[in-house]
Amino acid sequence: MLYCKFLFLFFLFLRVNSEEPHCSKYDFEEKVLEKMVRIEFQMERMKSEIEQSVKFVENKKTEVDATLKNIDQQLEDYSNNIEKLEALGTKISDTLTAKQQELEKNIDEKMAKIENKTLETLQAKIQELQTLKDEAVTPTITFKARLNSDSAAPAGQTFVFPTVLFNEGDAYSSRTGKFTATTSGTYLFTVVFCVIINKALTIGLMVDGSKYTVAAFYGDANYGCSTADTVAVLTAGQMVWVEALSGSSSGTIIDQDTSYRWNTFSGTLIHK
């Protein structure tokens, strides 16, 4: 339809603008037809070129659209990956922080246990050393006491030496005349008696009522003094005293002179 309109307008143009033909009508029509064919051929060629250009542009547009779509998809994927990486980084950071805190807590707990165990071990060692020290070191337990006047000596009497010269460890009683062991160990006890001329005295060094030593003292013209001793292995709480086994309940048997003759009872811990 468009082609027919074009031919009509073309013929009209030729009729209006052409001069009188100089040749035959047939020649004119032939030339017109030739021109029309050429024009048609050129238009077909132009149409084909335009269609190819349009198709090329459309193809390029399609390719560009596809490329843009691909780029958009890639950008979206990159964005999603970045979000995932950021989330993963946050998760890793949180995990590392939690693990670090847990590790620090475990280290603190282990250090506290080690410190407590070390302290307990040290305390046990100190206690052990203190026990060894206590076992190795012999405490000072010693005493010495004397009579302060002449006296009789009836059998069965426990001698009380009221004047205390020293009493380290406070184991001797000047009220009862008895020594009470405060520490288990080996002890040495000694008694000294000065007996009147022609008098006699027999004593026993007693441990909880049992005789550990029996000694007889006799008075001579020189007013001499004699000693008796014993070694006793005692446990804490056992008692030691001097008892008259035979003597006299009347008159003076024991001579006490503060300047020359002392009647004494002494004892000491020699080994623990």
Side-chain angles (χ1 to χ4, degrees), residues 129-157:
L129 291 174
Q130 185 63 43
T131 301
L132 292 174
K133 177 182 177 182
D134 294 340
E135 292 176 353
V137 176
T138 300
T140 302
I141 301 175
T142 183
F143 76 97
K144 187 171 187 178
R146 65 176 176 82
L147 300 177
N148 54 18
S149 63
D150 297 341
S151 67
Q157 171 184 303

Side-chain angles (χ1 to χ4, degrees), residues 25 52 61 101 110 121-122 128 137 141 150 205 216 252 265:
K25 180 179 181 182
Q52 290 179 358
K61 181 179 182 297
Q101 292 175 351
K110 290 181 179 180
T121 303
L122 287 176
E128 182 180 350
V137 176
I141 301 175
D150 297 341
L205 275 167
T252 299
F265 177 36

Side-chain angles (χ1 to χ4, degrees), residues 37-138:
V37 170
R38 289 178 182 176
I39 292 172
E40 182 179 1
F41 177 78
Q42 291 178 355
M43 290 183 66
E44 288 293 333
R45 189 183 63 181
M46 291 176 62
K47 179 181 178 183
S48 176
E49 291 177 353
I50 291 172
E51 288 177 351
Q52 290 179 358
S53 298
V54 170
K55 187 175 181 180
F56 176 79
V57 171
E58 289 177 348
N59 291 336
K60 289 299 181 180
K61 181 179 182 297
T62 302
E63 292 177 359
V64 170
D65 291 340
T67 302
L68 291 175
K69 185 177 180 180
N70 186 33
I71 292 174
D72 290 339
Q73 184 63 44
Q74 290 180 356
L75 290 175
E76 183 178 357
D77 292 340
Y78 291 154
S79 178
N80 292 333
N81 291 333
I82 290 173
E83 290 179 356
K84 291 179 180 179
L85 288 175
E86 289 177 349
L88 180 61
T90 302
K91 184 176 181 181
I92 292 174
S93 178
D94 294 340
T95 302
L96 289 176
T97 301
K99 289 294 184 181
Q100 182 179 2
Q101 292 175 351
E102 182 179 358
L103 180 61
E104 291 176 352
K105 182 180 179 181
N106 291 336
I107 291 174
D108 291 340
E109 290 178 353
K110 290 181 179 180
M111 288 298 295
K113 289 181 180 179
I114 292 173
E115 289 177 357
N116 292 333
K117 187 175 181 180
T118 302
L119 183 60
E120 291 175 357
T121 303
L122 287 176
Q123 289 176 344
K125 289 296 182 181
I126 291 172
Q127 185 64 37
E128 182 180 350
L129 291 174
Q130 185 63 43
T131 301
L132 292 174
K133 177 182 177 182
D134 294 340
E135 292 176 353
V137 176
T138 300

